[in-house]
């Protein structure tokens, strides 16, 4: 785009360089450049007195008509090359519509420039400006096209769908898999590698699957000192050898002392993983806890189905079927157990704790007035605790307990006789009778309270707790009690909405308090577990690594640097290292 020249009368005035399209148009209106005549043979002659006179010259061709076959003067063509407008290329298009700057050839044009040059400058400025505006508008309105889900891989099947089924094995695949070694460890390594290759696992699924394998004593990560694979190595291997070399999960026989210390038990691994390890690593107490549990059990169930379908270990087929049943049982029990853990101890147990000096005593904090709509009271108000306890005592306890409470209450002789931590296994869940529910719904004194049922449980010894430190008398009493076939049954009053998440076989750890009038309650929930709760030694070996035969070089160097301060006569660097440990 060429520069804009001012009229002859303004030659001594410095020209202003336009930088935008709007400034170019304003400059054109200000300059008021006169368009020359389009009649061929006309030229402009400047008189001495400053007046311009049009003179006809047949030898001169109007440069504006050069596009219609006229031939312009060579000198004028050379001058036009200096004023030639640069074309807008695709490379510079982005910079042009960002800056919108009109290129200028000369800030001080000569006064003798022809009117043809002025006209080209005007039309060139308009053309380049319009091109820049159109390019900018097209870039603004253009939207990036998003790839469809099919091309991004999001819509591809993962292999974990509800009705997903592996394709039947071909004869070649069957013969290939039968060609593996007869050792179980090699077969399971190849099966894990091929299962992971045929399933589309995201980060969460992969993490769950890796933790399940770790619970079963199978380490993850590339094999060390294998040297990798290349085309020359694979040319001498069959499919079985290549699969073994590519496996990222392997049985570390040296980790637990050797093959003689291993026991294959698919059912025990499933029990330990779902009842112990999975609740430790994932929050299953959310609103969607049931769906979360099912998504995780489906991963393990899918793997077990793969082992059955490919006949990986026919000698353990019964164990695999039993492990699949544990997956189905975990779908029903694990989410209930986690919800019950958040709901216990309940209103009645909290009321007893507030009245008789439990852990909830004097913990009530009234909700501030500005937050009444959130119902964020902490603890239980003493008046509400008395109301909850007395109505529950009248509707659900035996006549003997009610009579003893009234007698001891009148004599101010109510005491807490025993406090102990105990493991319980639920034996019976009893919901409130219809008449009791009707009383809670219609009686004015029970307005706002929740109906009570009963939870009965027997003593259970958690496998993860250390043995009790008992005196000789206590041990003798415990042995005598254990020899008695009749088991002690503990009974607690629990709200119905909590009992909905309890089931026969459910295991709990609680702090029980016994009152002098025969009532038992617990105000602290230490843990809740599924009916198949299992602990394996494998969990204690998670993250274990073989200790070094000698101190690391950095430890040796550090001990040597301060040997004057820490070493006595006759000591060695290894002695300092061991003392530091």
């Amino acid at each position: 785009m060429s520069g804009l020249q001012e009229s002859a009368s303004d030659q001594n005035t410095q020209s202003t360089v336009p930088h935008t399209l709007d400034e170019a148009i304003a400059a054109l209106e200000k300059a008021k450049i006169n368009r020359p005549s389009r009649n061929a043979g006309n030229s402009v002659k400047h008189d001495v007195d400053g007046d311009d006179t049009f003179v006809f010259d047949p030898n001169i061709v109007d440069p504006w008509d050069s596009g219609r076959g006229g031939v312009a003067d060579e000198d004028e063509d050379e001058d036009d090359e200096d004023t030639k407008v640069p074309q807008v290329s695709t490379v510079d298009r982005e910079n042009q519509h960002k800056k919108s700057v009109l290129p200028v050839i000369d800030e001080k044009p000569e006064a003798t420039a022809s009117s043809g040059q002025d006209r080209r400058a005007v039309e060139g400025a308009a053309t380049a400006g319009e091109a820049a505006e159109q390019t900018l508008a097209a870039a603004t309105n253009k939207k990036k096209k998003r790839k469809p889900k099919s091309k991004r891989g999001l819509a591809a099947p993962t292999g974990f769908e509800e009705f997903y089924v592996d394709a039947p094995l071909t004869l070649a695949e069957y013969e290939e898999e039968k060609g593996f070694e007869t050792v179980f460890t090699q077969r399971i390594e190849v099966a894990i590698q091929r299962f992971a290759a045929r399933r589309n696992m995201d980060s969460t699924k992969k993490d769950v699957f890796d933790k399940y394998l770790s619970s079963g004593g199978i380490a993850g990560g590339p094999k060390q000192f294998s040297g990798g694979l290349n085309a020359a190595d694979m040319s001498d291997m069959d499919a079985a050898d290549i699969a073994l070399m590519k496996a990222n999960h392997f049985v570390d026989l040296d980790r637990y002392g050797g093959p003689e210390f291993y026991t294959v038990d698919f059912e025990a691994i499933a029990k330990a993983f779902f009842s112990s390890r999975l609740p430790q690593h994932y929050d299953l107490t959310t609103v969607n806890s049931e769906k979360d549990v099912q998504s995780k059990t489906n991963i393990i169930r899918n793997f077990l189905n793969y082992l059955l379908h490919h006949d990986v270990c026919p000698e353990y087929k019964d164990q695999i079927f039993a492990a699949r049943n544990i997956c189905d049982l975990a779908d029903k029990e694990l989410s209930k157990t986690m919800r019950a853990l958040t709901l216990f101890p309940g209103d009645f147990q909290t009321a007893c704790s507030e009245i008789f000096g439990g852990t909830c005593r004097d913990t009530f904090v009234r909700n501030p007035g500005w937050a009444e709509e959130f119902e964020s009271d902490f603890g239980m108000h003493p008046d509400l605790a008395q109301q909850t306890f007395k109505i529950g005592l009248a509707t659900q306890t035996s006549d003997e307990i009610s009579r003893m409470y009234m007698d001891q209450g009148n004599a101010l002789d109510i005491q807490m006789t025993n406090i102990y931590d105990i493991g319980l296994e639920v034996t019976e869940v009893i919901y409130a009778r219809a008449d009791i529910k009707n009383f809670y719904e219609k009686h004015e004194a029970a307005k706002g309270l929740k109906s009570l049922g009963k939870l009965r449980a027997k003593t259970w010894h958690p496998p993860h707790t250390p043995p009790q430190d008992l005196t000789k008398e206590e041990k003798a009493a415990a042995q005598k009690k254990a020899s008695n076939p009749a088991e002690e049954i503990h009974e607690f009053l629990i709200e119905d909405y909590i009992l909905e998440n309890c089931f026969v076989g459910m295991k709990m750890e609680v702090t029980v308090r016994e009152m002098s009038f025969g009532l038992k309650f617990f105000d602290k929930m230490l843990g809740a577990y599924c009916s198949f709760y299992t602990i394996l030694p494998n969990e204690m070996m998670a993250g274990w690594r073989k200790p070094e035969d000698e101190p690391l070089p950095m430890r040796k160097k550090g001990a040597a640097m301060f040997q004057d301060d820490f070493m006595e006569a006759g000591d060695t660097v290894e002695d300092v290292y061991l003392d530091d440990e």
Side-chain angles (χ1 to χ4, degrees):
M1 193 176 297
S2 63
L4 302 178
Q5 298 180 356
E6 295 184 357
S7 61
S9 61
D10 297 331
Q11 292 181 16
N12 297 329
T13 305
Q14 186 177 0
S15 62
T16 302
V17 181
H19 294 280
T20 63
L21 183 61
D22 295 334
E23 292 179 0
I25 297 174
L28 290 175
E29 293 178 354
K30 183 178 180 181
K32 297 182 179 180
I33 299 177
N34 296 322
R35 178 177 178 178
S37 174
R38 304 189 65 87
N39 297 325
N42 289 345
S43 61
V44 181
K45 179 179 179 182
H46 299 278
D47 295 337
V48 179
D49 57 355
D51 296 334
D52 295 337
T53 306
F54 287 94
V55 180
F56 176 78
D57 189 353
N59 298 323
I60 299 178
V61 181
D62 187 6
W64 294 102
D65 297 332
S66 59
R68 295 191 294 268
V71 179
D73 191 0
E74 294 181 357
D75 296 336
E76 186 174 341
D77 291 340
E78 293 177 359
D79 294 337
D80 290 343
E81 290 179 1
D82 296 336
T83 61
K84 186 176 180 181
V85 180
Q87 298 296 324
V88 181
S89 63
T90 56
V91 178
D92 299 329
R93 190 170 291 170
E94 181 178 357
N95 293 331
Q96 272 198 344
H97 62 65
K98 280 185 179 179
K99 300 180 180 179
S100 298
V101 177
L102 303 179
V104 179
I105 63 168
D106 192 0
E107 294 184 356
K108 296 180 179 181
E110 298 181 358
T112 59
S114 66
S115 58
Q117 295 176 350
D118 294 336
R119 176 57 183 267
R120 284 180 177 161
V122 175
E123 291 189 351
T127 304
E130 291 176 0
E133 292 291 337
Q134 293 176 0
T135 305
L136 179 61
T140 305
N141 297 329
K142 185 177 180 180
K143 295 182 180 179
K144 292 184 178 180
K145 293 184 178 179
R146 188 177 180 87
K147 292 183 178 180
K149 291 185 176 181
S150 58
K151 291 187 178 181
R152 284 181 284 153
L154 300 179
T158 62
F160 296 100
E161 289 78 11
E162 183 178 0
F163 300 104
Y164 182 86
V165 179
D166 285 309
L169 293 178
T170 62
L171 181 59
E173 291 175 341
Y174 178 80
E175 294 295 338
E176 178 185 349
E177 294 182 356
K178 285 301 180 182
F180 293 120
E181 296 290 339
T182 57
V183 181
F184 170 75
T185 56
Q186 295 182 355
R187 280 182 282 146
I188 197 67
E189 288 177 3
V190 175
I192 293 172
Q193 188 262 339
R194 293 194 168 188
F195 170 78
R198 298 182 182 183
R199 298 294 186 271
N200 186 10
M201 288 191 283
D202 55 17
S203 59
T204 302
K205 289 185 174 66
K206 188 178 184 304
D207 186 60
V208 173
F209 186 59
D210 289 344
K211 285 182 170 56
Y212 167 75
L213 296 178
S214 177
S215 299
I218 298 178
K223 289 184 177 180
Q224 295 183 355
F225 314 114
S226 61
L229 291 176
N230 52 42
D233 295 334
M234 290 189 293
S235 61
D236 300 331
M237 297 181 182
D238 57 8
D241 295 334
I242 295 175
L244 287 174
M245 292 296 294
K246 287 184 176 181
N248 293 326
H249 297 85
F250 55 94
V251 180
D252 191 358
L253 296 176
D254 297 332
R255 189 171 193 174
Y256 299 103
E260 62 273 12
F261 293 95
Y262 275 82
T263 301
V264 180
D265 194 340
F266 286 91
E267 183 180 7
I269 296 300
K271 287 181 178 180
F273 177 70
F274 288 123
S275 63
S276 177
R277 191 164 191 186
L278 190 66
Q280 294 178 10
H281 292 276
Y282 296 95
D283 183 12
L284 303 177
T285 61
T286 59
V287 178
N288 298 323
S289 61
E290 187 173 354
K291 184 182 296 185
D292 293 341
V293 170
Q294 290 178 357
S295 65
K296 292 171 175 57
T297 57
N298 186 40
I299 299 171
I300 312 306
R301 186 187 295 107
N302 197 299
F303 173 67
L304 297 174
N305 289 336
Y306 180 88
L307 298 181
L308 293 173
H309 181 69
H310 291 264
D311 201 21
V312 176
C313 42
E315 64 272 28
Y316 300 112
K317 184 176 293 187
D318 293 338
Q319 291 188 15
I320 296 176
F321 279 115
R324 280 202 319 184
N325 294 335
I326 297 300
C327 295
D328 299 337
L329 194 59
D331 287 339
K332 301 176 182 178
E333 294 186 359
L334 189 54
S335 57
K336 286 186 175 182
T337 301
M338 294 296 101
R339 283 198 298 268
L341 186 61
T342 60
L343 295 175
F344 274 116
D347 294 341
F348 183 81
Q349 311 292 320
T350 304
C352 294
S353 180
E354 166 67 31
I355 296 171
F356 302 114
T359 57
C360 299
R361 183 67 177 267
D362 297 331
T363 59
F364 173 73
V365 178
R366 184 177 295 278
N367 184 26
W370 55 267
E372 290 182 355
E373 57 179 312
F374 299 106
E375 299 181 358
S376 57
D377 286 349
F378 183 79
M380 181 174 285
H381 194 279
D383 295 341
L384 180 60
Q386 289 285 347
Q387 180 186 5
T388 303
F389 168 73
K390 291 181 178 179
I391 293 180
L393 193 71
T395 56
Q396 281 291 16
T397 57
S398 62
D399 294 340
E400 181 181 359
I401 293 179
S402 299
R403 190 182 307 109
M404 291 177 63
Y405 170 75
M406 294 179 64
D407 295 341
Q408 295 179 11
N410 294 332
L412 302 178
D413 194 25
I414 297 178
Q415 297 179 357
M416 189 178 296
T417 59
N418 198 3
I419 305 174
Y420 52 90
D421 294 337
I422 190 174
L424 301 174
E425 181 179 345
V426 177
T427 58
E428 191 176 4
V429 178
I430 305 174
Y431 294 99
R433 301 190 308 268
D435 57 335
I436 296 178
K437 291 183 178 180
N438 187 53
F439 174 81
Y440 274 92
E441 292 174 358
K442 297 183 178 180
H443 203 281
E444 186 66 24
K447 185 178 180 180
L449 303 182
K450 300 176 178 63
S451 57
L452 284 176
K454 294 181 180 180
L455 181 71
R456 293 175 180 171
K458 63 181 181 180
T459 303
W460 168 66
H461 300 285
H464 58 271
T465 56
Q468 294 181 342
D469 186 13
L470 304 176
T471 63
K472 293 182 179 180
E473 294 78 9
E474 291 174 340
K475 287 182 179 179
Q479 292 175 357
K480 182 179 180 180
K481 187 176 182 179
S483 61
N484 187 4
E487 294 181 332
E488 181 182 4
I489 300 298
H490 306 268
E491 184 176 281
F492 305 94
L493 303 184
I494 307 293
E495 283 77 13
D496 283 347
Y497 75 94
I498 300 180
L499 293 178
E500 293 176 355
N501 297 288
C502 299
F503 50 89
V504 175
M506 179 180 176
K507 296 175 173 60
M508 302 182 296
E509 285 185 276
V510 296
T511 300
V512 175
R513 300 175 186 268
E514 295 184 358
M515 303 303 300
S516 56
F517 55 91
L519 180 69
K520 294 181 181 180
F521 68 93
F522 62 88
D523 58 357
K524 182 183 285 188
M525 189 73 160
L526 303 178
Y529 313 99
C530 299
S531 61
F532 51 87
Y533 179 68
T534 305
I535 291 289
L536 292 179
N538 296 9
E539 298 186 18
M540 294 184 287
M541 299 297 293
W544 178 88
R545 53 179 270 181
K546 184 179 179 180
E548 299 290 339
D549 296 333
E550 61 180 13
L552 296 175
M554 292 301 296
R555 300 298 297 270
K556 284 185 177 181
K557 182 178 179 180
M561 290 174 61
F562 300 98
Q563 59 182 350
D564 295 337
D565 298 331
F566 297 101
M567 294 178 62
E568 299 177 357
D571 288 344
T572 63
V573 177
E574 285 75 10
D575 295 332
V576 175
Y577 171 77
L578 294 175
D579 293 339
D580 187 45
E581 288 292 325

